[in-house]
Amino acid sequence: MGFQIESQISSCGGKLLKLQHESETTGTSMNVNIYLPQQYYKEDGAKIPALYYLSGLSCTPQNASEKAFWQPQADKFGFAVVFPDTSPRGADVPDDPENGWDFGLSAGFYVDATQSPYDKNYKMFSYVHDELPNKLDQFFKSTGSESGSTLDFLDNVAITGHSMGGFGAISGYLKQYASPRKYKSCSAFAPIANPSLVPWGKKAFGNYLGLESAQWEKYDPANLVKNISNKGNDVILIHQGTNDPFYKEQLKPHLLIEAAKGTSWEGKINLNLVDGFDHSYYFISSFVPQHAEFHAKNLGLI
Amino acid sequence: MGFQIESQISSCGGKLLKLQHESETTGTSMNVNIYLPQQYYKEDGAKIPALYYLSGLSCTPQNASEKAFWQPQADKFGFAVVFPDTSPRGADVPDDPENGWDFGLSAGFYVDATQSPYDKNYKMFSYVHDELPNKLDQFFKSTGSESGSTLDFLDNVAITGHSMGGFGAISGYLKQYASPRKYKSCSAFAPIANPSLVPWGKKAFGNYLGLESAQWEKYDPANLVKNISNKGNDVILIHQGTNDPFYKEQLKPHLLIEAAKGTSWEGKINLNLVDGFDHSYYFISSFVPQHAEFHAKNLGLI
């Protein structure tokens, strides 16, 4: 029921753990990376919150672990970072019959599929927001730490992500916003802000969720902001590069700003258009320090 | 004669330029990446030194550009970073007949080959230390910058590298140490410290340079320290992870410390064994901040 530690890699002041475990939710073996910051090893009795980072299309847990460079920020503020996979994998997991890279393997879209043949394995919403955090909590409670530090995967937690994962972060945050609030903080890098209206989202939602618009609305941030009340001053931080080739056709962050108008989220979606940046990890890593500080504040670390 | 700018990517406060050019030295088209820090774009009349980063076996200019994370350090101190390729490439460039990944393509070892068939293209010493810096100097002088800032690729320059590139950095530094000194500063991450005595070095030197030991000694740092006098207080900074799988068989930094004993370099090779670190970019990126500060001091930036 626990995790197998495939490798444990020294990185900055802490360690990156590459874990594997059997998921009942997806019915497959799943990979996940976790960065444990220096405070976990070096501070007596530190209480360390977790930031979940949801990756974009075509990624595994490795890409962001290697290129987003959360590690020094995690060390600076004292949070762990969880890098889940982007879909179930394995010989029995159905993929896009046309082999599109934007659907199926590496493209689970962080929803619970209801449509055959995807409904058996593609339960990424439940996996990321429920099974994974609970199992991490159990596992690290059972192993303990030499310093007496503890990791919090369930309560004092934040979420962020890139592109498909930026959508997954905002969607997961808003869907679970009601008290007790699941995530204390949410941000996104170049998210697919209104998936129901763009090619990537239509393909994924159509195949995973079927054609009823009500099913799509349950996940679409541009709909969720209309139905979930901001409790006060919660802000969603977003960065979007102006040279991102997907900005205008697939990501459309302005549609989320539009949707929030007249709702309790108006003015609370802090969209930063950054001149000249693209959709790559060069973009993500450039703004990770700002997102890290944002989450650190919301997690009570500063 | 000039460079073609393949792409220009916003990264941190500056830009990563992916360049291509025709090299007379290697007789091929060569790729090189350059990170220009924020000072180049934003400070009036800044004088910006260059740090050359030589990559290890199997790398192209992309790996370190994406994973070593020099960019924020370059922005902090105000130096440019040059990421040359690790070998000539192209259909006509001879490769290892056994397809070994540790010789031939991506494994030029930063020497000038004298043996057929490699002597036609594998002139990486002359390329990296002579043709490339001179062409970069000409190119950026001819293009100029809006801010009036200037880049120095020839005089106030430093060199570093990883593994094969760590060897290349120390070898290039020592071989050109005499007045006027080519590089003001040298460091290395897990360098192949005494290539003449280890499998990677023997294979490369044997094929590129032939079997005469005198030819190998011209490049081997463990020999060079015996024949080149330290002018005073110049220090070579080295980090080596203790969990590096190549540490004991291929890298052997202690042999360089041994070789320096009784020479003017004794005590001037600052070898830091770092517990638990491996040979990957997780290791490199963890110590890039320390190397950046070391070079920034030697380049007069702090």
Side-chain angles (χ1 to χ4, degrees), chain B residues 38-112:
Chain B
Q38 59 181 350
Q39 290 83 353
Y40 181 69
Y41 298 99
K42 295 167 192 166
E43 273 185 20
D44 284 350
K47 288 187 188 305
I48 295 168
L51 170 68
Y52 291 80
Y53 176 94
L54 306 185
S55 291
L57 290 166
S58 84
C59 289
T60 70
Q62 313 314 330
N63 307 65
S65 302
E66 293 174 359
K67 298 181 185 176
F69 227 59
W70 282 103
Q71 288 91 318
Q73 301 300 319
D75 280 352
K76 181 176 177 183
F77 297 114
F79 55 78
V81 189
V82 182
F83 303 95
D85 206 346
T86 51
S87 79
R89 299 176 193 276
D92 298 333
V93 175
D95 194 9
D96 184 354
E98 295 159 21
N99 289 315
W101 61 277
D102 54 2
F103 176 75
L105 294 183
S106 295
F109 264 84
Y110 308 104
V111 300
D112 281 348

Side-chain angles (χ1 to χ4, degrees), chain A residues 149-162:
Chain A
S149 293
T150 52
L151 296 160
D152 184 348
F153 293 105
L154 295 173
D155 296 317
N156 197 26
V157 293
I159 192 160
T160 186
H162 173 234

Side-chain angles (χ1 to χ4, degrees), chain A:
Chain A
M1 300 292 95
F3 292 84
Q4 208 171 338
I5 301 177
E6 303 281 307
S7 57
Q8 192 159 274
I9 301 165
S10 291
S11 172
C12 298
K15 283 186 199 294
L16 185 82
L17 276 56
K18 298 191 178 184
L19 306 175
Q20 193 177 45
H21 70 119
E22 296 306 314
S23 164
E24 290 94 55
T25 310
T26 66
T28 65
S29 173
M30 294 292 290
N31 297 314
V32 56
N33 288 356
I34 302 192
Y35 180 71
L36 300 181
Q38 58 180 351
Q39 290 83 351
Y40 181 70
Y41 298 98
K42 295 168 192 165
E43 276 186 18
D44 286 350
K47 287 185 190 307
I48 295 168
L51 170 68
Y52 291 81
Y53 176 93
L54 305 186
S55 290
L57 290 166
S58 84
C59 288
T60 70
Q62 312 316 328
N63 306 65
S65 302
E66 294 175 357
K67 298 181 185 176
F69 229 59
W70 282 103
Q71 288 91 320
Q73 301 300 318
D75 280 352
K76 180 175 178 185
F77 296 113
F79 56 77
V81 189
V82 183
F83 302 95
D85 207 346
T86 49
S87 78
R89 299 176 193 277
D92 297 333
V93 175
D95 194 9
D96 184 354
E98 293 161 22
N99 289 315
W101 60 276
D102 53 2
F103 176 75
L105 294 182
S106 293
F109 264 83
Y110 308 104
V111 299
D112 281 348
T114 57
Q115 305 298 300
S116 178
Y118 305 107
D119 54 342
K120 192 171 159 222
N121 307 112
Y122 287 84
K123 299 285 188 191
M124 290 299 290
F125 189 91
S126 295
Y127 171 72
V128 160
H129 299 294
D130 185 8
E131 183 186 9
L132 180 62
N134 280 297
K135 282 203 170 157
L136 289 173
D137 176 66
Q138 287 163 30
F139 180 69
F140 283 98
K141 269 187 184 143
S142 71
T143 58
S145 75
E146 284 181 27
S147 63
S149 293
T150 52
L151 296 160
D152 184 348
F153 293 105
L154 295 173
D155 296 317
N156 197 26
V157 293
I159 192 160
T160 186
H162 173 234
S163 196
M164 171 182 76
F167 150 68
I170 302 174
S171 178
Y173 171 74
L174 291 173
K175 276 171 77 66
Q176 300 169 101
Y177 186 76
S179 179
R181 190 147 57 103
K182 176 101 180 161
Y183 297 101
K184 296 266 169 70
S185 185
C186 175
S187 77
F189 302 82
I192 306 173
N194 194 173
S196 304
L197 298 187
V198 303
W200 280 342
K202 287 180 186 176
K203 184 175 181 182
F205 283 7
N207 282 288
Y208 291 135
L209 305 175
L211 298 178
E212 275 179 44
S213 63
Q215 300 307 312
W216 296 22
E217 288 172 1
K218 286 184 190 169
Y219 290 100
D220 194 322
N223 181 65
L224 293 170
V225 287
K226 292 179 178 162
N227 295 304
I228 292 152
S229 290
N230 191 316
K231 293 179 189 192
N233 287 309
D234 288 322
V235 168
I236 297 173
L237 175 65
I238 299 176
H239 278 77
Q240 170 65 57
T242 61
N243 276 4
D244 185 328
F246 306 113
Y247 171 27
K248 298 287 173 66
E249 197 201 351
Q250 304 276 11
L251 306 172
K252 296 183 180 281
H254 294 96
L255 294 184
L256 181 57
I257 304 292
E258 275 300 310
K261 276 192 182 156
T263 79
S264 56
W265 291 93
E266 182 168 343
K268 302 291 171 61
I269 295 168
N270 180 5
L271 171 62
N272 299 273
L273 295 180
V274 283
D275 196 36
F277 283 87
D278 63 13
H279 198 65
S280 73
Y281 285 93
Y282 290 118
F283 155 65
I284 300 170
S285 60
S286 297
F287 296 99
V288 153
Q290 286 185 37
H291 286 239
E293 190 176 348
F294 170 81
H295 291 297
K297 277 183 190 157
N298 292 337
L299 293 168
L301 294 170
I302 46 177

Side-chain angles (χ1 to χ4, degrees), chain B residues 19 41 70 114 143 153 156 204 228 263 273 281 296:
Chain B
L19 306 175
Y41 298 99
W70 282 103
T114 57
T143 57
F153 293 104
N156 196 26
I228 292 152
T263 78
L273 295 180
Y281 285 94

Side-chain angles (χ1 to χ4, degrees), chain B residues 129-151:
Chain B
H129 300 293
D130 185 9
E131 182 186 10
L132 180 62
N134 280 298
K135 282 203 170 158
L136 289 172
D137 176 67
Q138 288 164 30
F139 180 69
F140 283 98
K141 269 186 185 144
S142 71
T143 57
S145 75
E146 284 180 26
S147 63
S149 293
T150 53
L151 296 160

Side-chain angles (χ1 to χ4, degrees), chain B residues 67-278:
Chain B
K67 298 181 185 176
F69 227 59
W70 282 103
Q71 288 91 318
Q73 301 300 319
D75 280 352
K76 181 176 177 183
F77 297 114
F79 55 78
V81 189
V82 182
F83 303 95
D85 206 346
T86 51
S87 79
R89 299 176 193 276
D92 298 333
V93 175
D95 194 9
D96 184 354
E98 295 159 21
N99 289 315
W101 61 277
D102 54 2
F103 176 75
L105 294 183
S106 295
F109 264 84
Y110 308 104
V111 300
D112 281 348
T114 57
Q115 306 298 299
S116 178
Y118 305 107
D119 55 342
K120 191 170 162 224
N121 307 111
Y122 287 84
K123 299 284 188 191
M124 288 300 289
F125 189 92
S126 295
Y127 171 72
V128 160
H129 300 293
D130 185 9
E131 182 186 10
L132 180 62
N134 280 298
K135 282 203 170 158
L136 289 172
D137 176 67
Q138 288 164 30
F139 180 69
F140 283 98
K141 269 186 185 144
S142 71
T143 57
S145 75
E146 284 180 26
S147 63
S149 293
T150 53
L151 296 160
D152 183 348
F153 293 104
L154 294 173
D155 296 316
N156 196 26
V157 293
I159 192 161
T160 186
H162 173 233
S163 196
M164 171 182 77
F167 150 68
I170 302 174
S171 178
Y173 171 74
L174 291 173
K175 277 172 76 67
Q176 297 169 102
Y177 187 77
S179 181
R181 191 146 57 103
K182 176 101 180 159
Y183 297 101
K184 296 265 169 70
S185 186
C186 175
S187 77
F189 301 82
I192 305 172
N194 193 174
S196 303
L197 299 187
V198 301
W200 281 342
K202 287 179 184 176
K203 184 175 181 182
F205 283 5
N207 282 287
Y208 291 136
L209 305 175
L211 298 177
E212 275 180 43
S213 63
Q215 300 307 312
W216 297 19
E217 289 171 1
K218 286 185 191 169
Y219 290 100
D220 194 321
N223 181 65
L224 293 170
V225 287
K226 293 179 179 163
N227 295 303
I228 292 152
S229 291
N230 190 316
K231 293 181 188 192
N233 288 309
D234 288 321
V235 168
I236 297 174
L237 175 65
I238 298 177
H239 277 77
Q240 170 64 57
T242 60
N243 276 5
D244 185 328
F246 306 113
Y247 171 28
K248 297 287 174 66
E249 197 199 353
Q250 303 276 12
L251 307 172
K252 295 183 182 280
H254 294 97
L255 294 183
L256 182 56
I257 304 292
E258 274 301 309
K261 276 193 182 155
T263 78
S264 57
W265 291 92
E266 182 170 346
K268 302 290 171 64
I269 296 168
N270 180 5
L271 172 62
N272 299 271
L273 295 180
V274 283
D275 196 36
F277 283 87
D278 64 14

